[in-house]
Amino acid sequence: MRPALNPSPRPTARDAIIDAAIRLWSRNPGATFSEVALHAGVGRATLHRHFRNRDELLTLLAEICIAETNEAVAATIVQGASARRQLQGMFEAVIPLGDRYSFLYRAEIGDEHTTAEYRRQLEQVAALVGRLKSEGAVAADVPTAWVVAQIDQLIWSAWNEVASGRIAAADAADLATRTLLYGLGKEKQP
Amino acid sequence: MRPALNPSPRPTARDAIIDAAIRLWSRNPGATFSEVALHAGVGRATLHRHFRNRDELLTLLAEICIAETNEAVAATIVQGASARRQLQGMFEAVIPLGDRYSFLYRAEIGDEHTTAEYRRQLEQVAALVGRLKSEGAVAADVPTAWVVAQIDQLIWSAWNEVASGRIAAADAADLATRTLLYGLGKEKQP
DNA sequence: CCGGGATGGTACAGAACTGTCTCAAGAGAG
DNA sequence: CTCTCTTGAGACAGTTCTGTACCATCCCGG
């Protein structure tokens, strides 16, 4: 075999651990290392071989989630598009990641680099809100922090409703955009 | 002293524990019994005298929070008022309770009575949404579950913004109502 | 002044979790 | 086939949390 460009030679176990940890800690942030190993179908010792301790795994997960989100957003956003269209694109990209993203809300990440990266993401959203305002898509008299918070919450609840089957995945992004810009007080605007 | 109508003869310690537990577990659901005792300014032994174990305390806290919310809502809602007005009243009543209410989102309550009571609260909100729809304040084509989720999220984020000082407490309920009904896409409606 | 009840501090055993180690088994490359 | 690397299983000690018990102290009412 040629020298692997991929640094992980046999990634199955490692990937299974990462997946199980994200899935499990999303629902129960206090879940035990043993439980993670069990759900990953992996021995607890193997888990410790890949990740020295809880913090190391948690930090990696956070980095993965942030990177996945950045990637998804970057792939969807069209540079020349209107801010209004970029908002819609962001919803479309990020809502399906809800289950991988959600544990970040609860996790207490100590790592500086990770928190800085997260803050950077929020700032990007704030910048998008600024563009929405100058386009007239969002009212100027609303605090930007409030709009950012609403976008965050909409992503979360949209994924939540999709995951529980109450809303079709295809409708989620539209519904989120509509809710943010026009509210739920009248029929859908053109 | 006459036989106390109040079943708790010397409530200071007990109250301090309840308060500290709500405050602490809201931020850190995994906080230890020792930490709760420490923050309550009470010996750990005393804590165990009042509450046999974690579940007992947690269940009581949930019941208290639900009762507080019911009480606050009931005191504010005017029977004859429009659903639109009742929504505003609910926001005004519940947003200030955010810090006491928030830990319920994360806590895993096993108690049947408590979860039933919580479900009942959600159903009341759903009923309010139904009335909003028949009044024409909320569009009929939006799933009720979505509206309920938005109301829940608005309460949480409104309290959050108030708590972090980014938004004035007096404006919070108005902003939440506006966001829900009219969205953030245009200047405030009359 | 005196006694009962609540409290704080501490000690203790049991349980759960963590992190490390060892050893046997299995899968894949050469 | 053989060698190497990874894995699963389990043992182990150390730490933390839990729930209980005990005792000295304090406050309150009588």
Side-chain angles (χ1 to χ4, degrees):
Chain A
M1 185 196 258
R2 71 187 192 286
L5 295 177
N6 188 331
S8 50
R10 204 182 293 179
T12 50
R14 186 183 172 90
D15 285 358
I17 292 169
I18 290 173
D19 207 62
I22 290 179
R23 208 179 304 270
L24 200 55
W25 281 344
S26 291
R27 292 175 311 179
N28 174 16
T32 261
F33 241 49
S34 310
E35 293 178 79
V36 174
L38 192 69
H39 277 70
V42 158
R44 195 171 63 90
T46 302
L47 203 157
H48 276 286
R49 279 185 203 105
H50 286 277
F51 307 97
R52 195 177 306 279
N53 52 35
R54 188 189 192 84
D55 271 357
E56 189 174 314
L57 178 52
L58 200 58
T59 303
L60 176 68
L61 294 188
E63 277 170 13
I64 288 175
C65 290
I66 291 175
E68 276 182 359
T69 309
N70 281 336
E71 205 174 318
V73 170
T76 310
I77 294 265
V78 181
Q79 261 314 328
S82 67
R84 167 76 174 72
R85 175 63 208 150
Q86 288 187 4
L87 174 71
Q88 173 86 17
M90 195 185 72
F91 277 137
E92 285 169 6
V94 175
I95 288 173
L97 299 180
D99 59 336
R100 302 181 72 82
Y101 188 73
S102 59
F103 87 103
L104 284 180
Y105 281 109
R106 326 188 163 190
E108 302 250 336
I109 313 283
D111 185 62
E112 280 185 34
H113 172 259
T114 308
T115 53
E117 195 65 22
Y118 180 64
R119 211 187 325 277
R120 204 178 63 83
Q121 263 192 3
L122 285 184
E123 277 161 20
Q124 281 187 346
V125 177
L128 175 61
V129 171
R131 272 175 280 142
L132 285 165
K133 282 186 177 177
S134 53
E135 268 183 21
V138 161
D141 67 328
V142 182
T144 295
W146 176 256
V147 186
V148 172
Q150 291 317 302
I151 291 175
D152 234 40
Q153 303 282 16
L154 279 166
I155 292 168
W156 165 265
S157 57
W159 166 73
N160 223 29
E161 297 298 301
V162 170
S164 59
R166 285 190 290 268
I167 287 180
D171 302 337
D174 277 338
L175 192 51
T177 305
R178 171 193 175 177
T179 303
L180 183 73
L181 297 185
Y182 310 119
L184 305 174
K186 44 182 68 68
E187 306 303 318
K188 190 169 183 177
Q189 310 244 346
Chain B
M1 184 195 260
R2 71 186 192 284
L5 296 176
N6 189 331
S8 49
R10 204 183 292 180
T12 51
R14 188 184 170 90
D15 286 357
I17 292 169
I18 291 172
D19 205 63
I22 290 178
R23 208 179 305 268
L24 200 54
W25 281 343
S26 291
R27 291 175 311 179
N28 174 17
T32 259
F33 241 51
S34 309
E35 294 178 78
V36 174
L38 192 68
H39 277 71
V42 157
R44 194 170 64 89
T46 302
L47 202 157
H48 277 286
R49 277 185 204 107
H50 286 277
F51 307 98
R52 193 176 307 278
N53 52 34
R54 188 190 193 84
D55 271 357
E56 190 174 314
L57 178 52
L58 199 58
T59 303
L60 177 69
L61 295 188
E63 277 170 13
I64 289 175
C65 289
I66 290 176
E68 274 184 358
T69 310
N70 280 337
E71 204 173 320
V73 171
T76 310
I77 295 265
V78 181
Q79 261 314 326
S82 67
R84 167 75 174 71
R85 175 64 207 147
Q86 289 187 3
L87 174 71
Q88 173 86 17
M90 195 185 73
F91 277 138
E92 285 168 5
V94 174
I95 288 173
L97 299 179
D99 60 336
R100 302 180 72 83
Y101 188 73
S102 62
F103 86 103
L104 284 180
Y105 281 109
R106 325 187 166 192
E108 302 249 336
I109 313 283
D111 185 62
E112 281 184 34
H113 173 260
T114 307
T115 53
E117 195 66 23
Y118 181 63
R119 212 185 326 276
R120 205 178 63 82
Q121 262 192 4
L122 286 183
E123 278 162 19
Q124 282 187 346
V125 176
L128 175 60
V129 171
R131 272 175 281 142
L132 284 165
K133 280 185 178 179
S134 52
E135 267 182 21
V138 160
D141 67 327
V142 183
T144 295
W146 176 256
V147 186
V148 172
Q150 292 316 303
I151 292 175
D152 235 40
Q153 303 281 17
L154 280 166
I155 292 168
W156 165 265
S157 56
W159 165 72
N160 223 29
E161 297 298 302
V162 171
S164 58
R166 286 189 289 269
I167 287 179
D171 302 337
D174 277 338
L175 191 52
T177 306
R178 168 191 177 179
T179 303
L180 183 74
L181 298 185
Y182 309 119
L184 305 175
K186 45 181 67 68
E187 306 303 317
K188 191 169 182 177
Q189 311 244 343

